[in-house]
């Protein structure tokens, strides 16, 4: 029997964890074959570092523990010997077999909860939004709250007032912006959170009318520190567990066998540990603990201390399937909301927006996390915030820690070149550079700055490791559609459109797929056991019906997902 590392028991009263041995014999029996397995008649993706020199093997041999022992062809001596010994055989039916995808940046509980929300992604204007929410409310009379997702500021001409949706339903209505940086609420939701008497949090804003009354929108840290905890608090535990299970199932169905959770807090962490007590999840989770801006340096550093404490118990040695790997710091907002930190004012309205964290504030946080061996993940979208993030890592971090910057949507040429030189991982989400959602950018930024958008090619050519993620649920999580936009710079949302966003920054197909597997594994130190189909790593595989052509990626289909040599999804 394969020996599993001890699990951790959650004491719900103290919110602490005790190490307890768990008899997982049933789980072991379910998760691993009792004998070796041969996967054959497939095109098993192989490549050098970062997708260079791609090729395909014919077969993969896997041991009883779910680890790859050999990659080659059916004529290899080891494979012939395994066949003679009666190895279990799995025919891949000439399909392409990729390493299991690892989402380099996502939000697990939020994704699961979003699957239960009204989707506004196809709405064009306020009337569409009102119709969608009304229909959802009528169809779900038993819900205590109406939750929606996918709203973009441009759909409502930048307005988000409670009065625009108050008449739709008497229940609280919470509408997440597509990027999760804002929440639009009706009056019932504002009252439920009692925001009238709350001050604006550091780095956030409760929008108010001329009389000082909350008007409906909570943005940046106000969404993160007021709305998110409130929604988490009022959601029953069983509802959260169902959301987590739904998210994992959706990810397995898309070919994922790993993910990097990029804004963990106490509420989501508690739910995740309860679920892990009940069952072994068919996916590995690397976690960045969210650190939000506080009034004092001591309060900022206390959040790092919490991540350090959890990392002592949940790390690669003690809990490789669910680890605290670092912290997450949100450095600015988004271009569409005019909250990303830019070096020059926005073209459309002349607004100048500073980064949420100054270099002086960010430096001590990075230094403390780095000294404890944690990775820093710094959200930076605007060029000014990207500069602050790179400076903070250069001045306060240790080379080799694999620190990372998230999004990097508007990097200057100078900072794009610094990423590789400093060993900073470029954590990118090509779904955000879909032309269909960037139509407001030319008026917001002007054509010259738009030419700098999503400079992935420069990051890679400068030597930075690329980790490809989805930022789900802010964007669709399907990895092959993500790779389509990364390689063609065309829209996966509107495939008929010929628009392309800065095609000179496109990635090659093998390069993009490597970033979504090997690169994401590297980004969280999972490359010892995942990210490539090679001996010594787990047999985590996505079996894909596809043509090896970037232009055909929207037609590609994940038909099976294997986790540690066990099938966890079959279309």
């Amino acid at each position: 029997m394969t020996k599993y590392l001890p699990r951790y028991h959650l004491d719900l009263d103290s919110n602490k964890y005790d190490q307890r041995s768990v008899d997982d014999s049933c789980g072991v029996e379910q998760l691993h074959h009792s004998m070796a397995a041969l996967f054959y008649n497939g095109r098993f993706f192989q490549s050098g570092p970062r997708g260079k020199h791609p090729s395909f093997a014919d077969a993969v041999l896997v041991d009883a523990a779910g680890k790859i022992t050999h990659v080659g062809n059916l004529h290899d001596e080891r494979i012939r010997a395994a066949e003679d010994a009666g190895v279990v055989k799995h025919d891949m039916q000439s399909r392409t077999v990729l390493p299991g995808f690892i989402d380099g940046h996502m939000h697990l509980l939020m994704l699961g909860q979003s699957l239960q929300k009204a989707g506004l992604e196809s709405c064009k204007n306020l009337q569409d939004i009102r119709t969608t929410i009304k229909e959802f409310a009528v169809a779900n009379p038993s819900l205590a709250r109406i939750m929606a997702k996918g709203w973009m500021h441009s759909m409502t001409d930048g307005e988000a007032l409670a009065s625009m949706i108050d008449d739709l339903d008497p229940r609280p209505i919470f509408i997440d912006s597509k990027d999760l940086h804002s929440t639009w609420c009706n009056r019932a939701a504002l009252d439920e959170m009692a925001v009238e008497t709350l001050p604006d949090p550091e780095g956030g804003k409760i929008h108010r009318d001329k009389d000082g009354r909350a008007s409906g929108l909570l943005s940046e840290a106000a969404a993160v520190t007021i709305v998110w905890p409130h929604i988490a608090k009022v959601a029953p535990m069983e509802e959260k567990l169902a959301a987590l299970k739904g998210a994992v199932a959706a990810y397995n169905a898309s070919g994922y066998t790993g993910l990097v959770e990029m804004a963990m807090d106490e509420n989501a962490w508690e739910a995740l540990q309860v679920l892990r007590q009940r069952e072994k999840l068919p996916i590995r989770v690397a976690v960045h603990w969210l650190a939000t801006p506080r009034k004092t340096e001591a309060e900022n550093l206390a959040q790092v201390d919490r991540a350090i404490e959890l990392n002592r118990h949940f790390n690669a040695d003690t809990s490789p399937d669910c680890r605290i790997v670092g912290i997450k710091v949100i450095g600015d907002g988004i271009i569409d909301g005019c909250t990303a930190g830019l070096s020059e004012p926005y073209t459309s309205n002349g607004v100048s927006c500073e980064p949420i964290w100054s270099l002086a504030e960010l430096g001590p946080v990075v230094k403390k996390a780095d000294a404890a061996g944690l990775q820093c993940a710094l959200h930076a979208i605007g060029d000014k915030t990207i500069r602050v993030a790179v400076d903070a890592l250069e001045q306060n971090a240790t080379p080799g820690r694999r620190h990372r910057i998230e999004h990097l949507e508007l990097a200057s040429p100078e900072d794009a070149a610094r990423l590789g030189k400093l060993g900073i991982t470029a954590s990118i989400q090509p779904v955000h550079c879909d032309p269909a959602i960037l139509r407001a950018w030319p008026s917001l930024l002007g054509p010259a700055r738009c030419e700098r958008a999503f400079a992935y090619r420069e990051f890679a050519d400068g030597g930075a490791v690329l980790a490809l993620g989805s930022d789900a649920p802010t964007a669709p999580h399907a990895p092959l559609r993500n790779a389509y936009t990364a390689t063609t710079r065309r829209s996966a949302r509107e495939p008929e459109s010929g628009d392309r966003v800065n095609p000179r920054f496109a990635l090659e197909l093998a390069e993009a797929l490597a970033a979504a597997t090997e690169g994401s594994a590297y980004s969280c130190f999972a490359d010892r056991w995942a990210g490539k189909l090679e001996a010594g790593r787990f047999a985590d595989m996505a079996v894909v019906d596809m043509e090896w052509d970037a232009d055909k990626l929207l037609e590609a289909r994940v038909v099976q997902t294997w986790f540690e040599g066990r099938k966890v999804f079959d279309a």
Side-chain angles (χ1 to χ4, degrees), residues 199-203 292-300 303 357 361:
D200 286 352
E202 294 293 318
T292 59
R294 304 296 171 89
K295 292 186 180 300
T296 68
E297 182 176 306
E299 290 176 295
N300 289 336
Q303 298 173 88
W357 297 72
E361 294 166 329

Side-chain angles (χ1 to χ4, degrees), residues 106-126:
M106 63 85 66
H107 308 281
L108 186 60
L109 179 58
M110 286 185 171
L111 171 65
Q113 292 172 327
S114 77
L115 299 175
Q116 305 162 354
K117 297 180 181 181
L120 307 180
E121 294 84 358
S122 62
C123 295
K124 303 296 184 183
N125 50 47
L126 176 60

